[in-house]
Amino acid sequence: MNQSEFIKTITPFKDRLFRLAKRLLVSTEEAEDATQEVLVRLWNNREKLKSYSSVEALAVTITKNYCLDQLKSKRATEMRIVHSNYSDRQAGLLQQAEDRDSWDWVEKIIDRLPEQQKLIVQLRDIEEYEFEEIAKIMDMNETAVRVALSRARKTIREELKKLHSYGIKAN
Amino acid sequence: MELKQIENLLDKYFESETSIAEERELKAYFASQDVAPHLEQYRPMFGYFPQSGTQQFSKTVPLKPGKQKKYVAWLSVAASVVVLFGMFTFFNNSRPSAGQELGTYNDPEVAFRETQKALDMLSKNVNTGVNSMEYIHKYEETRTTIFKH
């Protein structure tokens, strides 16, 4: 596999890898580094890529594992990820600003989910993978994926409900 | 789309029983302007998902041809072989040549004379050193004569 062939293979999904990495690592810079690292790893093993049925699933799996490793080593050294991605508001229509604000809330809520649920929400609701693919990537069975996803979606719903009725109802 | 249908889809959605197509319908519904007031709370969720899917990876990937690695490895092996060979030949050649230049005598008489000559030269040089020390005695004598009285 030469360079242009490789680039043709990775172009359709490299943004997805980045978004997945960002979901887990939160910081844009770290997500970029992680994506780069994963793509370089794929490139170094480019001769073996043909034996995989889906390079994309492989890449997603590598990204997932790499990011989880990164998080683990971070926790071991007691470092906290510093990020400032939330507050990127631009002047605009009131509705737009409000929307962006509430999207930030959704992002924060997802950020608080357990890693497994975070990954599944990312893969299903944002990247729109089929359950079968997610099960393969996550190394889980489909039922377990559905259960985890349902749990995650309900958590998001409950948190949003709380926000929505904030100030109206006493807790 | 009918409200009843959306509500049904939402119920299925939270049980993870919707298909990708049905989830897209939901996203489309919540992106529209007329969302039923009691469903308003779900709008951020379904608005966030498509928006979050637009982020792009902008960094370039450094794709080095992988063969370079092997090449460097072999180069270092070759270099170490050359260095080892060089050291081996250097030590092998230099030692015998240094030993040959010392020379030797076959006749004991000649050897004896030569040894004497060498020792003579040595003692002469030692004596010149001793001669210069001679006048320390004089100094010693004067010191004793002064301090005796």
Side-chain angles (χ1 to χ4, degrees):
Chain A
M1 190 180 279
N2 63 31
Q3 198 157 327
S4 64
E5 272 176 335
F6 179 75
I7 287 169
K8 214 182 281 170
T9 322
I10 63 160
T11 306
F13 59 79
K14 68 177 183 3
D15 293 337
R16 291 181 163 186
L17 301 184
F18 170 65
R19 290 193 289 261
L20 182 71
K22 198 175 165 206
R23 175 69 57 211
L24 285 171
L25 301 174
V26 181
S27 134
T28 307
E29 287 76 24
E30 281 189 68
E32 276 174 349
D33 288 347
T35 313
Q36 206 173 40
E37 173 66 28
V38 169
L39 292 177
V40 168
R41 278 187 197 180
L42 280 179
W43 168 250
N44 289 341
N45 292 310
R46 60 191 176 282
E47 300 308 329
K48 291 176 215 150
L49 290 186
K50 287 213 175 84
S51 59
Y52 288 93
S53 54
S54 163
V55 179
E56 179 171 346
L58 173 75
V60 171
T61 311
I62 296 175
T63 310
K64 180 202 82 176
N65 291 335
Y66 180 78
C67 292
L68 290 179
D69 282 352
Q70 289 289 99
L71 287 175
K72 220 180 268 171
S73 66
K74 283 250 164 54
R75 264 165 215 163
T77 53
E78 303 258 319
M79 263 169 62
R80 302 289 305 147
I81 306 168
V82 182
H83 52 81
S84 51
N85 296 330
Y86 289 135
S87 58
D88 83 299
R89 266 173 240 164
Q90 288 167 346
L93 295 167
L94 184 68
Q95 181 64 51
Q96 264 180 0
E98 224 171 76
D99 277 353
R100 208 166 286 134
D101 226 33
S102 48
W103 292 341
D104 277 358
W105 278 111
V106 178
E107 186 153 321
K108 276 180 193 161
I109 293 167
I110 296 177
D111 207 35
R112 281 200 295 266
L113 292 173
E115 262 135 31
Q116 191 197 52
Q117 292 181 19
K118 234 188 261 185
L119 279 164
I120 294 176
V121 167
Q122 175 74 20
L123 293 175
R124 177 68 183 190
D125 281 330
I126 294 162
E127 308 299 352
E128 303 186 329
Y129 283 102
E130 291 293 345
F131 282 116
E132 193 192 338
E133 292 169 294
I134 299 173
K136 226 180 269 170
I137 290 164
M138 298 296 296
D139 200 19
M140 293 161 76
N141 66 46
E142 271 187 56
T143 325
V145 172
R146 280 175 199 270
V147 169
L149 180 64
S150 158
R151 219 168 270 164
R153 283 171 172 175
K154 281 175 183 165
T155 310
I156 299 172
R157 181 177 63 181
E158 294 312 309
E159 293 290 315
L160 280 177
K161 237 182 222 169
K162 264 190 227 164
L163 280 172
H164 197 69
S165 55
Y166 183 78
I168 300 170
K169 250 189 318 196
N171 286 343
Chain B
M1 196 185 297
E2 274 189 45
L3 194 59
K4 193 85 204 130
Q5 221 175 329
I6 291 293
E7 280 171 349
N8 265 340
L9 276 184
L10 269 176
D11 285 342
K12 271 173 77 184
Y13 173 80
F14 284 106
E15 294 308 322
S16 299
E17 280 157 5
T18 39
S19 67
I20 298 272
E22 286 169 327
E23 284 167 20
R24 281 191 187 146
E25 268 177 46
L26 281 173
K27 284 173 193 166
Y29 171 75
F30 283 102
S32 67
Q33 286 303 310
D34 36 38
V35 175
H38 68 288
L39 298 177
E40 184 70 17
Q41 51 171 319
Y42 299 117
R43 222 161 58 87
M45 200 172 168
F46 291 100
Y48 170 76
F49 292 145
Q51 179 262 343
S52 168
T54 54
Q55 289 167 302
Q56 282 180 345
F57 177 63
S58 50
K59 237 177 168 182
T60 51
V61 188
L63 297 178
K64 283 168 277 168
K67 273 169 197 160
Q68 212 169 4
K69 232 180 189 175
K70 276 181 201 163
Y71 180 70
V72 169
W74 280 111
L75 196 75
S76 60
V77 168
S80 58
V81 165
V82 167
V83 167
L84 271 176
F85 184 73
M87 299 238 284
F88 180 74
T89 47
F90 176 74
F91 283 117
N92 255 14
N93 288 341
S94 60
R95 213 173 273 155
S97 68
Q100 276 165 1
E101 273 164 33
L102 280 175
T104 183
Y105 296 102
N106 289 326
D107 190 358
E109 282 277 312
V110 184
F112 178 66
R113 259 185 277 130
E114 285 299 323
T115 315
Q116 255 187 340
K117 226 192 267 175
L119 287 175
D120 258 351
M121 201 167 71
L122 184 74
S123 67
K124 229 181 268 168
N125 281 325
V126 168
N127 281 340
T128 54
V130 172
N131 281 342
S132 60
M133 299 289 277
E134 204 83 320
Y135 83 115
I136 285 182
H137 283 290
K138 255 182 199 156
Y139 172 75
E140 189 75 15
E141 273 167 32
T142 43
R143 192 186 67 103
T144 45
T145 48
I146 290 167
F147 284 96
K148 246 180 190 168
H149 304 290

Short mmCIF file of all heavy atoms in Angstrom, two decimals, chain B residues 71-89:
data_model
loop_
_atom_site.label_atom_id
_atom_site.label_comp_id
_atom_site.label_asym_id
_atom_site.label_seq_id
_atom_site.Cartn_x
_atom_site.Cartn_y
_atom_site.Cartn_z
N TYR B 71 16.78 0.25 7.24
CA TYR B 71 18.02 0.72 6.64
C TYR B 71 18.96 1.24 7.70
O TYR B 71 20.15 0.89 7.73
CB TYR B 71 17.66 1.82 5.64
CG TYR B 71 18.81 2.45 4.91
CD1 TYR B 71 19.51 1.72 3.96
CD2 TYR B 71 19.20 3.75 5.18
CE1 TYR B 71 20.57 2.28 3.29
CE2 TYR B 71 20.26 4.33 4.52
CZ TYR B 71 20.94 3.59 3.57
OH TYR B 71 21.99 4.17 2.92
N VAL B 72 18.44 2.05 8.63
CA VAL B 72 19.25 2.62 9.71
C VAL B 72 19.82 1.51 10.59
O VAL B 72 20.99 1.54 10.98
CB VAL B 72 18.40 3.62 10.55
CG1 VAL B 72 19.13 4.00 11.82
CG2 VAL B 72 18.10 4.86 9.73
N ALA B 73 19.00 0.51 10.86
CA ALA B 73 19.45 -0.60 11.71
C ALA B 73 20.65 -1.31 11.07
O ALA B 73 21.67 -1.55 11.72
CB ALA B 73 18.30 -1.58 11.92
N TRP B 74 20.54 -1.58 9.77
CA TRP B 74 21.63 -2.27 9.09
C TRP B 74 22.88 -1.39 8.99
O TRP B 74 24.00 -1.89 9.08
CB TRP B 74 21.19 -2.71 7.70
CG TRP B 74 20.39 -3.98 7.78
CD1 TRP B 74 19.07 -4.12 7.53
CD2 TRP B 74 20.88 -5.26 8.18
NE1 TRP B 74 18.69 -5.41 7.75
CE2 TRP B 74 19.77 -6.15 8.16
CE3 TRP B 74 22.12 -5.75 8.57
CZ2 TRP B 74 19.88 -7.49 8.50
CZ3 TRP B 74 22.23 -7.09 8.91
CH2 TRP B 74 21.13 -7.93 8.88
N LEU B 75 22.64 -0.09 8.85
CA LEU B 75 23.78 0.83 8.77
C LEU B 75 24.57 0.80 10.07
O LEU B 75 25.81 0.76 10.05
CB LEU B 75 23.26 2.25 8.51
CG LEU B 75 24.31 3.24 8.02
CD1 LEU B 75 24.63 2.96 6.56
CD2 LEU B 75 23.79 4.67 8.16
N SER B 76 23.89 0.76 11.19
CA SER B 76 24.59 0.75 12.47
C SER B 76 25.34 -0.57 12.67
O SER B 76 26.44 -0.60 13.22
CB SER B 76 23.61 0.99 13.62
OG SER B 76 22.64 -0.02 13.62
N VAL B 77 24.75 -1.65 12.18
CA VAL B 77 25.45 -2.94 12.26
C VAL B 77 26.73 -2.89 11.44
O VAL B 77 27.81 -3.28 11.91
CB VAL B 77 24.53 -4.09 11.75
CG1 VAL B 77 25.34 -5.36 11.56
CG2 VAL B 77 23.40 -4.33 12.72
N ALA B 78 26.63 -2.35 10.23
CA ALA B 78 27.80 -2.26 9.35
C ALA B 78 28.88 -1.38 9.99
O ALA B 78 30.07 -1.72 9.97
CB ALA B 78 27.39 -1.68 8.00
N ALA B 79 28.47 -0.26 10.59
CA ALA B 79 29.42 0.65 11.21
C ALA B 79 30.16 -0.03 12.35
O ALA B 79 31.39 0.07 12.47
CB ALA B 79 28.69 1.89 11.72
N SER B 80 29.43 -0.78 13.18
CA SER B 80 30.09 -1.43 14.31
C SER B 80 31.05 -2.52 13.83
O SER B 80 32.12 -2.73 14.42
CB SER B 80 29.06 -1.99 15.28
OG SER B 80 28.23 -2.88 14.61
N VAL B 81 30.70 -3.19 12.75
CA VAL B 81 31.60 -4.21 12.19
C VAL B 81 32.90 -3.56 11.72
O VAL B 81 34.00 -4.04 12.00
CB VAL B 81 30.91 -4.97 11.03
CG1 VAL B 81 31.94 -5.75 10.22
CG2 VAL B 81 29.85 -5.90 11.58
N VAL B 82 32.77 -2.42 11.04
CA VAL B 82 33.95 -1.71 10.55
C VAL B 82 34.84 -1.28 11.71
O VAL B 82 36.06 -1.47 11.68
CB VAL B 82 33.53 -0.48 9.70
CG1 VAL B 82 34.72 0.44 9.46
CG2 VAL B 82 32.92 -0.93 8.39
N VAL B 83 34.24 -0.75 12.76
CA VAL B 83 35.02 -0.29 13.92
C VAL B 83 35.74 -1.46 14.57
O VAL B 83 36.94 -1.39 14.88
CB VAL B 83 34.09 0.40 14.95
CG1 VAL B 83 34.80 0.59 16.28
CG2 VAL B 83 33.62 1.74 14.40
N LEU B 84 35.03 -2.57 14.75
CA LEU B 84 35.64 -3.75 15.37
C LEU B 84 36.81 -4.26 14.54
O LEU B 84 37.90 -4.55 15.06
CB LEU B 84 34.60 -4.87 15.49
CG LEU B 84 33.78 -4.86 16.78
CD1 LEU B 84 32.73 -5.95 16.72
CD2 LEU B 84 34.69 -5.07 17.98
N PHE B 85 36.62 -4.33 13.22
CA PHE B 85 37.66 -4.81 12.32
C PHE B 85 38.88 -3.89 12.38
O PHE B 85 40.02 -4.35 12.45
CB PHE B 85 37.10 -4.88 10.90
CG PHE B 85 38.06 -5.46 9.91
CD1 PHE B 85 38.32 -6.83 9.91
CD2 PHE B 85 38.71 -4.64 8.99
CE1 PHE B 85 39.22 -7.36 9.01
CE2 PHE B 85 39.62 -5.17 8.09
CZ PHE B 85 39.86 -6.54 8.10
N GLY B 86 38.60 -2.57 12.42
CA GLY B 86 39.68 -1.59 12.49
C GLY B 86 40.51 -1.75 13.76
O GLY B 86 41.75 -1.78 13.70
N MET B 87 39.84 -1.90 14.89
CA MET B 87 40.55 -2.07 16.16
C MET B 87 41.39 -3.34 16.14
O MET B 87 42.54 -3.36 16.56
CB MET B 87 39.53 -2.18 17.30
CG MET B 87 38.67 -0.96 17.42
SD MET B 87 38.76 -0.18 19.01
CE MET B 87 37.79 -1.27 20.01
N PHE B 88 40.81 -4.41 15.60
CA PHE B 88 41.48 -5.70 15.55
C PHE B 88 42.79 -5.59 14.77
O PHE B 88 43.86 -5.97 15.25
CB PHE B 88 40.54 -6.71 14.91
CG PHE B 88 41.12 -8.09 14.79
CD1 PHE B 88 41.24 -8.89 15.93
CD2 PHE B 88 41.53 -8.58 13.57
CE1 PHE B 88 41.77 -10.16 15.83
CE2 PHE B 88 42.08 -9.85 13.47
CZ PHE B 88 42.19 -10.65 14.60
N THR B 89 42.69 -5.00 13.56
CA THR B 89 43.90 -4.90 12.72
C THR B 89 44.92 -3.95 13.35
O THR B 89 46.12 -4.21 13.29
CB THR B 89 43.54 -4.40 11.31
OG1 THR B 89 42.69 -3.26 11.44
CG2 THR B 89 42.85 -5.47 10.51
#
